[in-house]
Amino acid sequence: MTKEDGCTMKISDAIVYAGVYDRDIDLFEGQYPVPAGVSYNSYIILDDKIAVMDTVDARKTAEWLDKVEKALNGRTPDYLVIAHLEPDHSGSIQAIADRYPEMKLVMSAKALTMLPQFADASLAARAVSVKENDTLTLGAHALRFMTAPMVHWPEVMVSYESSEKVLFSADAFGPFGDPETDPWLPEARRYYFNIVGKYGSPVQTLLKKAAALDIASICPLHGPVLTGSLNEYLEKYQLWSAYAPEETGVLVAYGSLHGNTAKAAMLAADMIREQGVKATVIDLARTDVSFALAEAFKYDKLLLACSTYDGNFFPKMEDFLLHLKAKAFQKRRAALIENGSWAPMAAKGMKAYLEQMKEIAVCENTVTIKSTLKEENKAQLAALVNELLA
Ligand SMILES: Cc1cc2nc3c(=O)[nH]c(=O)nc-3n(C[C@H](O)[C@H](O)[C@H](O)COP(=O)(O)O)c2cc1C
Ligand SMILES: [Fe+2]
Ligand SMILES: [Fe+2]
């Protein structure tokens, strides 16, 4: 999905993109590496009345206010619509409110209770609280508001502009990366599972509301404006929120101290591929856990290979399993390979984590390697792969 496929920052003459691209940020939300940065999107609807749709992270306030001012062309905004109060979007509320003192702030009732945490309490006097299906008429354009609680904060709402059929979707459908050039899917997936993943059921509720709308464009708070055929995006969100895999295939994730477990993991991946099934191998010590998590959700099967470490197992693997559990990883098949020089314990430890997740079918076979891979281990790996793929 690129610009040519319908990703564009141009919406219409009346609905203008006013987002900013933060290419310097190292960690989004203090933990997710964003090698290609992230955009904080904002939009302006210019009609008899003017609505600014969300603000941006405090890292970009000045650049954003300049953009807004240019787009306004001497006019003054009547409304700031606040979809979400997380600081990447609320970070410039105070600044724009100070600049345009007549502007009203439109938000959900829940957002109104939380607003004083992100701006001066005095702003509440300028707030308009809206509820499900309330509309705000701007002229030829009108916004209908729909709450989206726990996608992925409690105060979230989305807005639908009916004349141009635009859904302002808050964080939903937003990826990391350069909104103008990066493909949507990989970073939308990583954003979704790491940030929204735990909230599959609230996302399903939002998708049901969206299904009743005639949508021509989706304007998320990150990444490109989505236009053209929206089915691909909607289908991905449908699968993701149902915890259903996108593809048949195996994520082979390993943690290895001296490389022997890594060798076993790669050999197992080769065996998987020989059977015509896709396999992606990830070294958990060298790949950020957010990428591994997204790959795990993409496939229907997971193969974990890990060294024993101080009577337990390699901490990078434990961190990965902690993340999977926290993001409600479920409905998958899994297989285990362990390594240990005197008392291998890794499989037991990994299995204990998998048992805390819903509907993870762990293979009966487990391969135990004692330090280095031996011929008999290869036969065991083949049997494990056969069971996993059966
Ligand atoms: C700090 C440390 C702790 C370890 N703890 C255990 C242990 O508790 N039980 C065990 O069987 N092996 C233990 N090992 C040995 C490794 O699990 C073993 O050498 C294994 O072969 C490592 O696989 P690798 O070659 O993939 O790193 C430990 C190794 C290190 C460095
Ligand atoms: Fe957010
Ligand atoms: Fe966000």
Side-chain angles (χ1 to χ4, degrees):
M1 277 163 262
T2 62
K3 257 183 169 172
E4 290 71 43
D5 308 319
C7 294
T8 166
M9 306 318 278
K10 168 86 181 169
I11 307 144
S12 70
D13 290 338
I15 304 181
V16 179
Y17 179 75
V20 289
Y21 174 39
D22 187 352
R23 75 195 71 210
D24 310 319
I25 185 171
D26 60 342
L27 294 177
F28 183 77
E29 291 185 356
Q31 62 172 327
Y32 306 113
V34 280
V38 64
S39 70
Y40 316 116
N41 294 347
S42 165
Y43 306 89
I44 303 177
I45 308 175
L46 297 151
D47 205 317
D48 298 339
K49 303 270 187 197
I50 295 178
V52 175
M53 309 300 288
D54 289 288
T55 86
V56 303
D57 194 280
R59 294 166 55 85
K60 292 284 171 188
T61 303
E63 184 184 330
W64 175 67
L65 282 176
D66 280 353
K67 269 196 158 184
V68 170
E69 199 175 309
K70 281 200 187 84
L72 291 172
N73 200 15
R75 295 179 65 191
T76 304
D78 298 275
Y79 303 105
L80 170 68
V81 176
I82 298 171
H84 181 25
L85 280 172
E86 199 173 355
D88 52 332
H89 308 295
S90 64
S92 306
I93 290 177
Q94 191 66 51
I96 193 171
D98 290 345
R99 182 169 290 194
Y100 303 108
E102 302 300 317
M103 184 186 70
K104 296 258 187 277
L105 285 65
V106 180
M107 69 200 84
S108 69
K110 183 69 184 172
L112 184 52
T113 69
M114 294 166 70
L115 183 66
Q117 298 171 38
F118 301 98
D120 284 353
S122 62
L123 286 188
R126 292 160 59 184
V128 180
S129 144
V130 291
K131 56 183 193 313
E132 191 74 8
N133 289 323
D134 277 359
T135 56
L136 178 69
T137 303
L138 304 170
H141 294 79
L143 289 168
R144 173 142 69 96
F145 304 109
M146 280 154 279
T147 57
M150 295 323 296
V151 178
H152 57 123
W153 273 33
E155 83 297 357
V156 174
M157 68 173 193
V158 302
S159 310
Y160 178 66
E161 200 294 302
S162 45
S163 74
E164 298 202 41
K165 301 176 180 164
V166 177
L167 179 68
F168 295 93
S169 62
D171 273 334
F173 301 101
F176 302 120
D178 183 336
E180 302 241 37
T181 56
D182 282 336
W184 180 83
L185 183 57
E187 288 294 71
R189 182 192 293 115
R190 188 165 68 98
Y191 183 99
Y192 178 84
F193 284 114
N194 284 280
I195 293 172
V196 191
K198 185 173 169 9
Y199 305 104
S201 157
V203 173
Q204 295 254 303
T205 304
L206 175 61
L207 290 175
K208 280 195 194 101
K209 292 182 187 182
L213 305 170
D214 180 9
I215 302 170
S217 314
I218 298 176
C219 291
L221 287 177
H222 303 284
V225 172
L226 306 174
T227 54
S229 168
L230 300 175
N231 280 345
E232 191 173 351
Y233 312 113
L234 291 162
E235 277 166 16
K236 289 297 178 196
Y237 258 63
Q238 205 48 267
L239 285 177
W240 295 346
S241 56
Y243 301 97
E246 286 172 65
E247 288 184 35
T248 300
V250 186
L251 168 64
V252 180
Y254 70 84
S256 176
L257 302 156
H258 301 293
N260 295 295
T261 311
K263 263 188 209 154
M266 285 184 264
L267 182 59
D270 287 342
M271 291 170 170
I272 292 165
R273 293 184 192 117
E274 273 162 24
Q275 298 206 28
V277 176
K278 255 184 154 178
T280 298
V281 181
I282 287 185
D283 175 353
L284 293 170
R286 293 193 170 80
T287 306
D288 183 78
V289 66
S290 66
F291 291 92
L293 185 101
E295 288 297 305
F297 273 104
K298 184 170 92 180
Y299 291 126
D300 62 340
K301 300 178 189 77
L302 179 65
L303 175 54
L304 302 177
C306 194
S307 318
T308 303
Y309 193 78
D310 294 339
N312 194 17
F313 60 105
F314 201 44
K316 295 282 186 185
M317 176 63 80
E318 185 157 19
D319 188 48
F320 177 48
L321 286 163
L322 262 176
H323 277 79
L324 287 175
K325 188 180 142 204
K327 301 303 171 181
F329 186 72
Q330 55 185 272
K331 299 181 191 159
R332 299 295 194 275
R333 286 174 69 80
L336 301 171
I337 300 169
E338 66 178 350
N339 195 344
S341 291
W342 59 93
M345 290 291 287
K348 185 172 176 239
M350 292 189 286
K351 199 166 179 214
Y353 270 94
L354 294 172
E355 281 168 356
Q356 295 170 48
M357 302 174 204
K358 266 195 348 202
E359 294 178 57
I360 304 290
V362 183
C363 291
E364 300 257 324
N365 282 301
T366 292
V367 175
T368 298
I369 298 157
K370 295 292 275 295
S371 302
T372 56
L373 200 62
K374 299 286 190 260
E375 271 316 305
E376 72 252 31
N377 297 137
K378 293 182 186 169
Q380 291 163 351
L381 284 175
L384 182 69
V385 164
N386 282 338
E387 188 187 346
L388 181 64
L389 300 186

